[in-house]
Amino acid sequence: MLKINRLIVAGILIFSQFSLLAQNNTNSPYTRYGYGELADRSFGAGRAMGGVGIGLRSSKQINPMNPASYTSIDLMTFIFDFGAAGQVSWFNDGMGSQKNVNGNVEYIALQFPITKWLAFSAGILPYSYVGYNYGEVNTANDGSINEFNGKGGLNDLYGGVSIEVWKKRLSVGANVGFLFGNITHEEQFTVYPSNSVSERRERKVDVRDIKVDFGIQYTHPLSKTEEITLGAVFSPGKKLNAERYTYTYQYATGNSTQYLVTGDTITSNAYDIPNSFGVGLSYNKRNKLLVAADFLFEDWSNARFEGRTDDFKNRIRVAGVVEYIPNFMNNRSFFAAGKISRRCSL
Protein backbone atom coordinates (compact mmCIF):
# COMPACT_ATOMS: atom_id res chain seq x y z
CA MET A 1 0.00 0.00 0.00
CA LEU A 2 2.87 2.39 0.84
CA LYS A 3 4.44 1.78 -2.57
CA ILE A 4 1.12 2.48 -4.33
CA ASN A 5 0.63 5.71 -2.38
CA ARG A 6 4.12 6.87 -3.31
CA LEU A 7 3.44 6.09 -6.96
CA ILE A 8 0.21 8.09 -6.93
CA VAL A 9 1.85 11.12 -5.32
CA ALA A 10 4.82 11.00 -7.69
CA GLY A 11 2.50 10.60 -10.69
CA ILE A 12 0.56 13.71 -9.67
CA LEU A 13 3.81 15.66 -9.39
CA ILE A 14 4.93 14.49 -12.83
CA PHE A 15 1.73 15.57 -14.57
CA SER A 16 1.70 18.87 -12.66
CA GLN A 17 5.00 19.83 -14.35
CA PHE A 18 3.78 19.54 -17.95
CA SER A 19 3.11 23.27 -18.29
CA LEU A 20 6.56 24.11 -16.93
CA LEU A 21 8.33 21.66 -19.22
CA ALA A 22 6.72 23.36 -22.21
CA GLN A 23 8.67 26.58 -21.52
CA ASN A 24 11.91 27.46 -23.34
CA ASN A 25 15.09 26.14 -21.76
CA THR A 26 17.49 27.54 -24.32
CA ASN A 27 18.14 30.56 -26.50
CA SER A 28 20.27 29.82 -29.52
CA PRO A 29 19.91 30.71 -33.23
CA TYR A 30 21.15 27.20 -34.07
CA THR A 31 17.86 25.76 -32.80
CA ARG A 32 16.19 27.25 -35.88
CA TYR A 33 17.05 24.05 -37.74
CA GLY A 34 15.50 20.58 -37.51
CA TYR A 35 14.08 19.58 -34.13
CA GLY A 36 16.34 22.10 -32.40
CA GLU A 37 18.97 21.29 -29.80
CA LEU A 38 18.88 17.60 -28.87
CA ALA A 39 18.73 17.03 -25.12
CA ASP A 40 20.74 14.57 -23.04
CA ARG A 41 18.83 11.61 -21.62
CA SER A 42 20.98 11.53 -18.50
CA PHE A 43 19.82 13.09 -15.24
CA GLY A 44 21.76 15.22 -12.77
CA ALA A 45 23.94 12.47 -11.30
CA GLY A 46 24.76 11.11 -14.76
CA ARG A 47 25.64 14.53 -16.13
CA ALA A 48 27.98 15.10 -13.19
CA MET A 49 29.79 12.00 -14.48
CA GLY A 50 30.23 13.28 -18.03
CA GLY A 51 26.88 12.03 -19.27
CA VAL A 52 27.78 8.32 -19.15
CA GLY A 53 25.05 5.76 -18.52
CA ILE A 54 24.93 2.95 -21.08
CA GLY A 55 27.26 0.71 -19.08
CA LEU A 56 26.51 2.20 -15.68
CA ARG A 57 24.61 0.44 -12.87
CA SER A 58 23.87 2.33 -9.69
CA SER A 59 21.33 1.72 -6.93
CA LYS A 60 21.36 5.45 -6.08
CA GLN A 61 20.22 7.08 -9.31
CA ILE A 62 17.71 6.75 -12.16
CA ASN A 63 19.40 6.02 -15.47
CA PRO A 64 16.97 6.19 -18.44
CA MET A 65 19.88 6.01 -20.89
CA ASN A 66 19.79 2.23 -20.45
CA PRO A 67 16.51 0.75 -19.17
CA ALA A 68 18.31 -2.46 -18.21
CA SER A 69 19.85 -0.52 -15.31
CA TYR A 70 16.58 -0.29 -13.34
CA THR A 71 17.12 -3.68 -11.65
CA SER A 72 20.20 -2.30 -9.88
CA ILE A 73 17.87 -0.65 -7.34
CA ASP A 74 17.60 -2.15 -3.86
CA LEU A 75 14.36 -3.93 -2.99
CA MET A 76 13.52 -1.43 -0.21
CA THR A 77 14.36 1.73 -2.19
CA PHE A 78 12.07 4.25 -3.86
CA ILE A 79 13.76 7.03 -5.91
CA PHE A 80 12.14 10.28 -6.95
CA ASP A 81 14.31 12.59 -9.08
CA PHE A 82 13.56 16.15 -10.08
CA GLY A 83 15.86 18.46 -12.04
CA ALA A 84 16.04 22.04 -13.26
CA ALA A 85 18.57 23.66 -15.56
CA GLY A 86 19.77 27.18 -16.26
CA GLN A 87 21.61 28.70 -19.18
CA VAL A 88 23.39 32.02 -19.74
CA SER A 89 24.26 32.80 -23.37
CA TRP A 90 26.21 35.59 -25.05
CA PHE A 91 25.97 36.20 -28.80
CA ASN A 92 28.02 38.60 -30.91
CA ASP A 93 27.71 38.98 -34.69
CA GLY A 94 30.37 41.65 -35.08
CA MET A 95 27.81 44.47 -35.12
CA GLY A 96 26.04 43.92 -31.83
CA SER A 97 25.88 41.64 -28.81
CA GLN A 98 23.08 39.95 -26.93
CA LYS A 99 22.83 38.24 -23.55
CA ASN A 100 20.09 35.76 -22.64
CA VAL A 101 19.25 33.96 -19.41
CA ASN A 102 17.02 30.87 -19.53
CA GLY A 103 16.06 28.25 -16.98
CA ASN A 104 13.25 25.94 -16.08
CA VAL A 105 12.20 22.49 -14.92
CA GLU A 106 13.94 19.95 -17.13
CA TYR A 107 12.93 16.45 -16.00
CA ILE A 108 11.06 14.56 -13.33
CA ALA A 109 11.08 10.78 -12.78
CA LEU A 110 10.62 7.93 -10.30
CA GLN A 111 11.91 4.38 -9.93
CA PHE A 112 11.13 1.46 -7.64
CA PRO A 113 11.46 -2.35 -7.55
CA ILE A 114 8.42 -4.57 -8.06
CA THR A 115 10.10 -7.88 -7.17
CA LYS A 116 13.70 -9.02 -6.66
CA TRP A 117 14.06 -9.45 -10.42
CA LEU A 118 11.73 -6.76 -11.81
CA ALA A 119 11.91 -2.94 -11.54
CA PHE A 120 9.94 -0.04 -12.96
CA SER A 121 10.69 3.57 -13.87
CA ALA A 122 8.58 6.40 -15.29
CA GLY A 123 9.04 10.07 -15.95
CA ILE A 124 9.17 12.89 -18.41
CA LEU A 125 12.31 14.36 -19.95
CA PRO A 126 13.10 16.59 -22.92
CA TYR A 127 13.94 15.26 -26.37
CA SER A 128 14.79 18.62 -27.98
CA TYR A 129 14.65 22.37 -27.35
CA VAL A 130 13.86 25.29 -29.66
CA GLY A 131 14.33 28.88 -28.54
CA TYR A 132 15.72 31.88 -30.42
CA ASN A 133 14.99 35.54 -31.14
CA TYR A 134 17.15 37.64 -33.44
CA GLY A 135 16.90 40.03 -36.37
CA GLU A 136 18.79 41.47 -39.30
CA VAL A 137 18.65 44.56 -41.48
CA ASN A 138 18.12 43.86 -45.17
CA THR A 139 20.18 46.63 -46.81
CA ALA A 140 19.15 45.42 -50.26
CA ASN A 141 15.49 46.27 -49.52
CA ASP A 142 15.54 49.89 -48.28
CA GLY A 143 16.57 48.98 -44.77
CA SER A 144 13.75 46.54 -44.01
CA ILE A 145 14.07 44.49 -40.81
CA ASN A 146 13.74 40.72 -40.75
CA GLU A 147 12.99 39.14 -37.38
CA PHE A 148 13.20 35.43 -36.57
CA ASN A 149 11.59 33.81 -33.53
CA GLY A 150 11.29 30.19 -32.45
CA LYS A 151 9.98 28.33 -29.44
CA GLY A 152 8.88 24.89 -28.26
CA GLY A 153 10.45 21.47 -28.37
CA LEU A 154 9.63 17.79 -27.96
CA ASN A 155 9.18 15.86 -24.69
CA ASP A 156 9.39 12.15 -23.91
CA LEU A 157 6.90 10.76 -21.38
CA TYR A 158 8.24 7.27 -20.71
CA GLY A 159 7.53 4.16 -18.72
CA GLY A 160 10.08 1.37 -18.53
CA VAL A 161 10.74 -2.02 -16.99
CA SER A 162 13.90 -4.00 -16.36
CA ILE A 163 14.14 -7.77 -15.82
CA GLU A 164 17.04 -9.56 -14.19
CA VAL A 165 17.38 -12.74 -16.20
CA TRP A 166 20.51 -14.32 -14.70
CA LYS A 167 22.07 -14.26 -11.18
CA LYS A 168 22.36 -10.47 -10.78
CA ARG A 169 24.62 -10.46 -13.81
CA LEU A 170 22.42 -10.13 -16.88
CA SER A 171 19.52 -7.66 -17.15
CA VAL A 172 17.38 -6.51 -20.05
CA GLY A 173 14.98 -3.60 -20.21
CA ALA A 174 12.77 -1.45 -22.40
CA ASN A 175 11.24 2.01 -22.32
CA VAL A 176 8.01 2.88 -24.09
CA GLY A 177 7.75 6.62 -24.54
CA PHE A 178 5.13 9.04 -25.78
CA LEU A 179 6.93 11.69 -27.83
CA PHE A 180 4.93 14.89 -27.93
CA GLY A 181 5.28 18.64 -28.37
CA ASN A 182 5.27 21.37 -30.95
CA ILE A 183 7.86 23.59 -32.57
CA THR A 184 6.99 27.05 -33.87
CA HIS A 185 9.11 29.16 -36.24
CA GLU A 186 8.17 32.73 -37.11
CA GLU A 187 9.61 35.08 -39.73
CA GLN A 188 8.54 38.71 -39.67
CA PHE A 189 9.42 41.14 -42.47
CA THR A 190 8.97 44.80 -41.54
CA VAL A 191 9.26 47.08 -44.58
CA TYR A 192 9.90 50.83 -44.48
CA PRO A 193 8.60 53.50 -45.04
CA SER A 194 5.89 53.19 -42.39
CA ASN A 195 2.96 53.14 -44.82
CA SER A 196 4.12 49.84 -46.32
CA VAL A 197 2.59 46.43 -45.68
CA SER A 198 4.59 44.00 -43.52
CA GLU A 199 4.29 40.23 -43.39
CA ARG A 200 4.62 37.52 -40.75
CA ARG A 201 5.01 33.86 -41.64
CA GLU A 202 4.44 31.13 -39.07
CA ARG A 203 5.39 27.46 -39.44
CA LYS A 204 4.40 25.00 -36.72
CA VAL A 205 5.13 21.27 -36.40
CA ASP A 206 3.00 19.23 -34.00
CA VAL A 207 4.24 15.73 -32.99
CA ARG A 208 2.34 12.95 -31.17
CA ASP A 209 3.79 9.44 -31.40
CA ILE A 210 5.22 6.40 -29.59
CA LYS A 211 8.93 5.59 -29.41
CA VAL A 212 10.73 2.62 -27.82
CA ASP A 213 14.22 2.05 -26.41
CA PHE A 214 15.85 -1.30 -25.60
CA GLY A 215 18.82 -2.03 -23.36
CA ILE A 216 20.94 -4.84 -21.99
CA GLN A 217 23.65 -4.98 -19.32
CA TYR A 218 26.03 -7.72 -18.24
CA THR A 219 27.98 -7.39 -14.99
CA HIS A 220 31.02 -9.58 -14.30
CA PRO A 221 32.44 -9.61 -10.73
CA LEU A 222 36.22 -9.43 -10.42
CA SER A 223 36.26 -9.64 -6.61
CA LYS A 224 33.94 -8.95 -3.69
CA THR A 225 34.29 -5.20 -4.24
CA GLU A 226 35.15 -4.96 -7.97
CA GLU A 227 33.10 -5.50 -11.11
CA ILE A 228 32.90 -4.54 -14.75
CA THR A 229 29.67 -3.87 -16.61
CA LEU A 230 29.10 -3.95 -20.36
CA GLY A 231 25.94 -2.32 -21.71
CA ALA A 232 24.27 -1.80 -25.07
CA VAL A 233 21.20 0.16 -26.19
CA PHE A 234 19.16 0.35 -29.37
CA SER A 235 16.36 2.71 -30.40
CA PRO A 236 14.68 1.96 -33.74
CA GLY A 237 14.04 4.86 -36.05
CA LYS A 238 10.56 5.57 -37.33
CA LYS A 239 8.36 8.04 -39.17
CA LEU A 240 6.60 10.27 -36.65
CA ASN A 241 2.94 11.07 -36.56
CA ALA A 242 3.35 14.80 -37.25
CA GLU A 243 1.40 17.62 -38.79
CA ARG A 244 2.71 20.88 -40.18
CA TYR A 245 0.72 24.11 -40.11
CA THR A 246 1.71 27.19 -42.14
CA TYR A 247 0.17 30.64 -41.86
CA THR A 248 0.90 33.97 -43.53
CA TYR A 249 -0.30 37.24 -41.98
CA GLN A 250 -0.13 40.79 -43.36
CA TYR A 251 -0.51 44.08 -41.53
CA ALA A 252 0.24 47.75 -42.01
CA THR A 253 3.46 48.82 -40.33
CA GLY A 254 2.58 50.54 -37.06
CA ASN A 255 -0.81 48.77 -36.86
CA SER A 256 -1.09 45.71 -34.59
CA THR A 257 -4.14 44.33 -36.43
CA GLN A 258 -3.14 41.27 -38.48
CA TYR A 259 -4.97 39.72 -41.40
CA LEU A 260 -4.65 36.05 -42.29
CA VAL A 261 -3.67 35.75 -45.94
CA THR A 262 -3.06 32.02 -46.29
CA GLY A 263 -3.27 28.98 -44.03
CA ASP A 264 -2.52 25.34 -44.71
CA THR A 265 -2.23 22.00 -42.90
CA ILE A 266 0.21 19.45 -44.32
CA THR A 267 0.22 15.82 -43.18
CA SER A 268 2.10 14.23 -46.10
CA ASN A 269 5.59 15.46 -45.20
CA ALA A 270 7.71 12.86 -43.41
CA TYR A 271 9.37 13.61 -40.06
CA ASP A 272 11.67 10.86 -38.77
CA ILE A 273 13.73 10.00 -35.74
CA PRO A 274 16.83 7.90 -36.51
CA ASN A 275 18.12 4.47 -35.61
CA SER A 276 20.34 4.83 -32.56
CA PHE A 277 23.02 2.38 -31.33
CA GLY A 278 25.18 2.65 -28.24
CA VAL A 279 27.66 0.70 -26.12
CA GLY A 280 29.14 1.45 -22.73
CA LEU A 281 31.70 -0.08 -20.38
CA SER A 282 32.40 0.63 -16.72
CA TYR A 283 34.81 -0.58 -14.04
CA ASN A 284 33.64 -0.07 -10.46
CA LYS A 285 35.60 -0.59 -7.24
CA ARG A 286 32.90 -0.10 -4.66
CA ASN A 287 33.05 3.24 -2.80
CA LYS A 288 36.51 3.93 -4.23
CA LEU A 289 36.93 4.14 -8.01
CA LEU A 290 34.68 4.30 -11.08
CA VAL A 291 35.91 4.42 -14.67
CA ALA A 292 33.31 4.47 -17.44
CA ALA A 293 32.96 5.34 -21.13
CA ASP A 294 30.08 5.49 -23.64
CA PHE A 295 29.82 5.55 -27.41
CA LEU A 296 26.55 6.44 -29.16
CA PHE A 297 25.80 6.63 -32.90
CA GLU A 298 22.62 8.15 -34.36
CA ASP A 299 21.90 7.69 -38.09
CA TRP A 300 20.50 11.15 -38.79
CA SER A 301 21.71 11.22 -42.41
CA ASN A 302 18.87 8.86 -43.39
CA ALA A 303 16.21 10.59 -41.28
CA ARG A 304 13.66 12.67 -43.17
CA PHE A 305 12.61 16.15 -42.08
CA GLU A 306 9.80 17.80 -44.02
CA GLY A 307 10.15 14.97 -46.51
CA ARG A 308 13.87 15.53 -47.23
CA THR A 309 16.91 13.50 -46.20
CA ASP A 310 19.60 16.13 -46.87
CA ASP A 311 19.11 18.26 -43.75
CA PHE A 312 21.04 16.25 -41.13
CA LYS A 313 24.42 14.69 -40.54
CA ASN A 314 25.11 11.59 -38.44
CA ARG A 315 25.68 12.21 -34.74
CA ILE A 316 28.41 10.55 -32.70
CA ARG A 317 28.55 11.05 -28.95
CA VAL A 318 31.52 9.96 -26.83
CA ALA A 319 31.56 10.37 -23.04
CA GLY A 320 33.92 9.29 -20.29
CA VAL A 321 34.42 9.69 -16.55
CA VAL A 322 36.86 8.87 -13.78
CA GLU A 323 35.50 9.14 -10.23
CA TYR A 324 37.83 8.65 -7.26
CA ILE A 325 36.79 8.74 -3.59
CA PRO A 326 39.79 9.03 -1.24
CA ASN A 327 37.81 8.33 1.94
CA PHE A 328 34.20 7.19 1.57
CA MET A 329 33.49 7.35 5.32
CA ASN A 330 34.68 10.96 5.59
CA ASN A 331 31.42 12.39 4.26
CA ARG A 332 31.72 15.69 6.12
CA SER A 333 34.23 17.13 3.70
CA PHE A 334 33.23 18.30 0.23
CA PHE A 335 36.77 17.64 -0.99
CA ALA A 336 36.72 14.00 0.11
CA ALA A 337 35.58 12.96 -3.37
CA GLY A 338 36.75 13.93 -6.80
CA LYS A 339 35.50 13.49 -10.35
CA ILE A 340 37.05 14.02 -13.75
CA SER A 341 34.72 13.75 -16.75
CA ARG A 342 34.98 14.28 -20.47
CA ARG A 343 32.29 14.31 -23.12
CA CYS A 344 32.09 15.28 -26.77
CA SER A 345 29.58 15.10 -29.63
CA LEU A 346 30.33 15.09 -33.33
Side-chain angles (χ1 to χ4, degrees):
M1 180 61 69
L2 180 59
K3 185 180 294 184
I4 294 175
N5 290 337
R6 288 176 176 175
L7 179 59
I8 293 174
V9 172
I12 292 173
L13 290 172
I14 289 175
F15 283 99
S16 69
Q17 301 302 317
F18 278 8
S19 60
L20 293 175
L21 288 164
Q23 305 300 315
N24 281 354
N25 224 11
T26 189
N27 195 309
S28 170
Y30 298 107
T31 62
R32 183 182 174 189
Y33 306 100
Y35 298 108
E37 178 185 351
L38 298 179
D40 287 329
R41 291 191 64 85
S42 59
F43 291 164
R47 295 182 193 184
M49 294 189 292
V52 298
I54 299 176
L56 191 65
R57 290 183 68 82
S58 173
S59 61
K60 301 176 182 178
Q61 68 183 72
I62 303 175
N63 178 21
M65 293 184 66
N66 191 335
S69 67
Y70 302 152
T71 50
S72 63
I73 192 171
D74 184 82
L75 190 60
M76 302 300 294
T77 301
F78 181 97
I79 301 178
F80 181 80
D81 198 353
F82 173 92
Q87 181 189 73
V88 180
S89 304
W90 289 268
F91 300 99
N92 192 319
D93 61 359
M95 300 179 62
S97 61
Q98 178 178 321
K99 176 182 176 181
N100 299 102
V101 179
N102 300 89
N104 212 330
V105 175
E106 186 165 359
Y107 66 84
I108 184 169
L110 58 88
Q111 181 176 315
F112 59 87
I114 299 175
T115 68
K116 291 182 178 181
W117 49 270
L118 180 65
F120 173 81
S121 178
I124 182 171
L125 67 160
Y127 184 85
S128 70
Y129 301 110
V130 172
Y132 61 90
N133 181 6
Y134 66 95
E136 63 181 6
V137 177
N138 188 353
T139 56
N141 192 16
D142 298 326
S144 64
I145 298 177
N146 301 337
E147 297 182 17
F148 303 92
N149 298 280
K151 61 183 179 180
L154 302 182
N155 298 299
D156 182 9
L157 176 64
Y158 79 92
V161 295
S162 176
I163 302 173
E164 183 184 290
V165 295
W166 183 49
K167 297 181 179 180
K168 295 185 179 182
R169 294 193 181 189
L170 181 64
S171 293
V172 297
N175 287 332
V176 178
F178 178 57
L179 196 66
F180 70 97
N182 56 70
I183 298 170
T184 301
H185 301 282
E186 294 182 358
E187 301 175 12
Q188 184 167 306
F189 305 94
T190 304
V191 185
Y192 292 96
S194 60
N195 59 355
S196 300
V197 175
S198 296
E199 185 174 271
R200 182 173 69 88
R201 302 171 187 171
E202 180 179 309
R203 186 175 81 253
K204 179 179 178 182
V205 178
D206 195 357
V207 174
R208 299 286 188 277
D209 212 336
I210 302 296
K211 69 183 293 289
V212 293
D213 311 300
F214 302 100
I216 185 172
Q217 286 184 332
Y218 172 74
T219 299
H220 185 76
L222 302 176
S223 68
K224 291 183 178 180
T225 59
E226 296 176 280
E227 61 187 21
I228 57 173
T229 299
L230 176 65
V233 293
F234 169 65
S235 298
K238 65 174 297 183
K239 177 183 176 181
L240 296 175
N241 178 26
E243 293 184 344
R244 175 185 174 185
Y245 306 91
T246 59
Y247 305 97
T248 301
Y249 300 89
Q250 288 186 349
Y251 58 98
T253 305
N255 188 342
S256 60
T257 303
Q258 302 183 62
Y259 302 93
L260 178 64
V261 179
T262 61
D264 195 12
T265 301
I266 302 173
T267 59
S268 58
N269 281 351
Y271 294 84
D272 295 345
I273 54 175
N275 288 315
S276 174
F277 312 87
V279 293
L281 181 67
S282 69
Y283 163 80
N284 183 29
K285 186 172 183 178
R286 197 174 307 158
N287 300 327
K288 194 68 176 181
L289 178 65
L290 172 68
V291 181
D294 281 358
F295 174 85
L296 180 70
F297 173 79
E298 296 178 348
D299 187 19
W300 282 101
S301 64
N302 291 314
R304 295 169 295 179
F305 188 82
E306 296 184 346
R308 303 190 305 271
T309 58
D310 57 351
D311 285 343
F312 302 131
K313 300 295 184 181
N314 290 336
R315 183 186 185 217
I316 296 175
R317 180 179 177 276
V318 180
V321 65
V322 176
E323 179 186 60
Y324 175 69
I325 305 175
N327 187 353
F328 178 75
M329 300 306 295
N330 184 16
N331 55 14
R332 295 183 178 181
S333 172
F334 175 79
F335 298 99
K339 295 180 182 179
I340 302 173
S341 62
R342 293 292 183 266
R343 180 181 62 179
C344 65
S345 298
L346 305 175

